[in-house]
């Protein structure tokens, strides 16, 4: 599959690019508002993979170009940019393109991080509202600590949750997640359930803060 | 310690009573609005323990009597009863009594369960507002499936999260949780972080619904 990582220069995008490139044969395209930055990051990922004996071509383009002809578009951008990025690439989204939203709205105070959803109820629902009707939107990869994901020396051994209204799209996203070694995907149901999925992310950050030894903590359901 | 399980006739109360009785020497008192029901349930728990070769005295009283002289009061009641039960027992709460809130506000629609916090922000904060100032309030035990907790044949091997403004109280609640075999307590910080802790419960119910083999699912952070 051709996977476009919009905002693929950021930390969650880096982790997904490196893991998919290392563990699969999917074609990976890094997108950014700045095509030069996208190309530079793509080269950086290639160098990292090459240092591990993996010879992979990763390309970098402006978001619109990256999304063109992609089977899967991952919106690895901050939550307040998500709607704009979807609008930027809407014309490029193929029929049945899978749009994956890993972003979470988070606020903070002195005590910790707090779930701060957009008025749509969740970022997943915001993306579903903003995307063209023919695209299929899921939320996934919210709860993976970026540094742990991007460090190929670390076994993940974690779960991630997939949420969205189209069950076939959830299954496809789950398969893509499980293409990454050590990652298990669980089905969280329709997009109305996304708020409970997304609010796990501030919880994980709070647990990392208040418990020794839980830096970059993830979650397993059993 | 003397632990009063108010609403200890319900399913989460049953699980905590059986686990603490089986794994510890804490004195256990079952509370209910109906003292006859409390006594009947206490006897039922004694019978269950006796069948496993454990000879334990568990008493049953009206909530007010159960809370009297208790070191720890667990509010194992539905979220919409929590404030009333706290008001009922407020006069009986000793200086520095530990008040533990496992309740979660949950709504539902056809897609799944949704976190539905009270106006205080979370049930933990609602209890903190309702309790006398000298009591120490924590939230804990939200995310344990009641049937799994109450079935002593099942190894738990799970985490539970403790949240509340008093760090010493969180530590005490964590110790009490870890007195139960197979349960690890993690610190989620001050009560302002309780919403993210409580919203894990509807998520778990949704995961149990949408994934085969995840009946009575719990969570581990790693």
């Amino acid at each position: 599959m051709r996977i476009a990582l919009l905002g693929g220069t950021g930390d969650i995008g880096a982790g997904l690019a490196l893991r998919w490139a290392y563990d699969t044969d999917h074609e990976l395209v890094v997108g950014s508002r700045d095509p030069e930055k996208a190309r530079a990051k793509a080269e950086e990922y290639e160098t990292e993979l090459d240092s591990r004996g993996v010879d992979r071509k990763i390309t970098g383009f402006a978001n619109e170009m990256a999304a063109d002809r992609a089977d899967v578009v991952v919106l690895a951008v901050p939550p307040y940019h998500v709607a704009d990025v979807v609008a930027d690439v809407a014309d490029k989204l193929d029929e049945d393109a899978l749009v994956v939203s890993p972003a979470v709205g988070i606020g903070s105070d002195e005590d910790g991080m707090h779930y701060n959803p957009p008025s749509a109820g969740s970022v997943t629902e915001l993306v579903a509202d903003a995307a063209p009707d023919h695209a299929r939107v899921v939320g996934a990869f919210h709860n993976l600590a970026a540094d742990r994901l991007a460090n190929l020396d670390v076994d993940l051994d974690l779960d991630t949750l997939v949420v969205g209204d189209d069950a076939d799209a959830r299954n496809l996203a789950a398969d893509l997640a499980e293409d990454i070694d050590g990652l298990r995907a669980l089905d969280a149901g329709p997009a109305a359930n996304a708020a409970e999925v997304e609010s796990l992310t501030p919880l994980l950050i709070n647990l990392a803060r208040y418990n020794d030894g839980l830096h970059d903590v993830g979650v397993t359901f059993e």
Side-chain angles (χ1 to χ4, degrees), chain A:
Chain A
M1 292 222 164
R2 181 181 165 101
I3 303 176
L5 291 152
L6 310 189
T9 58
D11 52 6
I12 188 79
L16 289 172
L18 289 167
R19 292 278 174 177
W20 270 321
Y22 195 74
D23 291 335
T24 79
D25 292 323
H26 296 305
E27 181 187 348
L28 295 163
V29 185
V30 173
S32 170
R33 294 218 161 166
D34 176 353
E36 280 308 316
K37 196 170 158 197
R39 267 188 286 277
K41 276 288 175 179
E43 273 176 36
E44 191 181 311
Y45 304 155
E46 285 178 344
T47 304
E48 166 73 9
L49 291 158
D50 189 59
S51 77
R52 294 165 184 274
V54 176
D55 180 22
R56 283 281 258 147
K57 180 69 191 159
I58 301 178
T59 53
F61 295 101
N63 282 332
E64 295 82 341
M65 284 289 289
D68 194 31
R69 296 177 296 118
D71 303 296
V72 181
V73 172
V74 181
L75 302 167
V77 298
Y80 44 90
H81 284 155
V82 158
D84 285 347
V85 172
V86 172
D88 288 346
V89 305
D91 290 346
K92 305 289 188 186
L93 292 177
D94 285 350
E95 191 74 25
D96 289 336
L98 181 70
V99 177
V100 180
S101 171
V104 175
I106 299 181
S108 67
D109 61 21
E110 61 183 10
D111 292 327
M113 298 291 180
H114 305 298
Y115 184 49
N116 183 24
S119 57
S122 63
V123 177
T124 304
E125 289 162 292
L126 181 154
V127 172
D129 291 347
D133 287 344
H134 64 260
R136 301 182 299 167
V137 173
V138 300
F141 306 116
H142 310 91
N143 60 308
L144 303 174
D147 288 350
R148 184 167 171 179
L149 190 66
N151 183 348
L152 296 173
D153 291 329
V154 176
D155 291 332
L156 288 178
D157 213 3
L158 291 175
D159 291 339
T160 192
L161 306 177
V162 180
V163 68
D165 282 337
D166 182 324
D168 289 338
R170 296 202 303 272
N171 286 335
L172 173 57
D175 288 345
L176 289 166
E178 295 194 341
D179 285 342
I180 295 174
D181 287 352
L183 201 56
R184 181 179 69 158
L186 295 176
D187 187 349
N193 300 346
E196 285 73 24
V197 172
E198 295 177 6
S199 59
L200 192 51
T201 301
L203 176 63
L204 291 171
I205 300 170
N206 293 339
L207 294 178
R209 169 171 166 183
Y210 286 99
N211 298 272
D212 292 337
L214 288 189
H215 184 63
D216 285 342
V217 62
V219 68
T220 310
F221 297 91
E222 55 192 88

